[in-house]
Amino acid sequence: MDMLKKIFPYSFKIETVKTLLINCLIYLLVGIVLGIVIGLVAKIPVIGIIVGIVGGLIDLYVVVGIVLAILSFLKIIK
């Protein structure tokens, strides 16, 4: 669990519904902004494959961060 707290530090600082919503919005905004940047950079033929893989990892990070925030808010994980 300590490893998850180091990788996703903001997901475990949830105390109220307001902080949960703000945290989820921040994760979504970061995912959207980085998705747009990756979409622009992916048009370069040589870099496109590598950037596509990084984009998938960023999407995975966003989803896991939101799920951990919700589970932490519901006190399922500590």
Side-chain angles (χ1 to χ4, degrees), residues 3 5-6 9 11 34-37 43 52 56 61 64-65 67 69 76:
M3 182 84 147
K5 287 183 180 181
K6 290 179 184 176
S11 295
L34 290 177
I36 291 171
V37 171
K43 293 181 182 179
Y61 182 83
V64 171
V67 169
I76 296 174

Side-chain angles (χ1 to χ4, degrees), residues 2 12 17 25-27 30 34 37 40 44-46 52-53 69 76:
D2 291 334
F12 293 97
V17 175
L25 284 174
I26 289 172
Y27 273 121
V30 168
L34 290 177
V37 171
L40 295 174
I44 302 171
V46 177
I53 293 170
I76 296 174

Side-chain angles (χ1 to χ4, degrees), residues 36-68:
I36 291 171
V37 171
I38 287 173
L40 295 174
V41 175
K43 293 181 182 179
I44 302 171
V46 177
I47 302 175
I49 295 171
I50 297 169
V51 172
I53 293 170
V54 171
L57 291 174
I58 290 171
D59 290 341
L60 181 65
Y61 182 83
V62 167
V63 170
V64 171
I66 292 172
V67 169
L68 286 175

Side-chain angles (χ1 to χ4, degrees), residues 10-32 59 61-74:
Y10 298 111
S11 295
F12 293 97
K13 296 179 181 178
I14 307 297
E15 297 175 1
T16 63
V17 175
K18 183 178 176 181
T19 57
L20 175 66
L21 291 176
I22 290 171
N23 192 352
C24 290
L25 284 174
I26 289 172
Y27 273 121
L28 287 174
L29 287 175
V30 168
I32 290 170
D59 290 341
Y61 182 83
V62 167
V63 170
V64 171
I66 292 172
V67 169
L68 286 175
I70 293 170
L71 291 176
S72 175
F73 175 72
L74 296 175

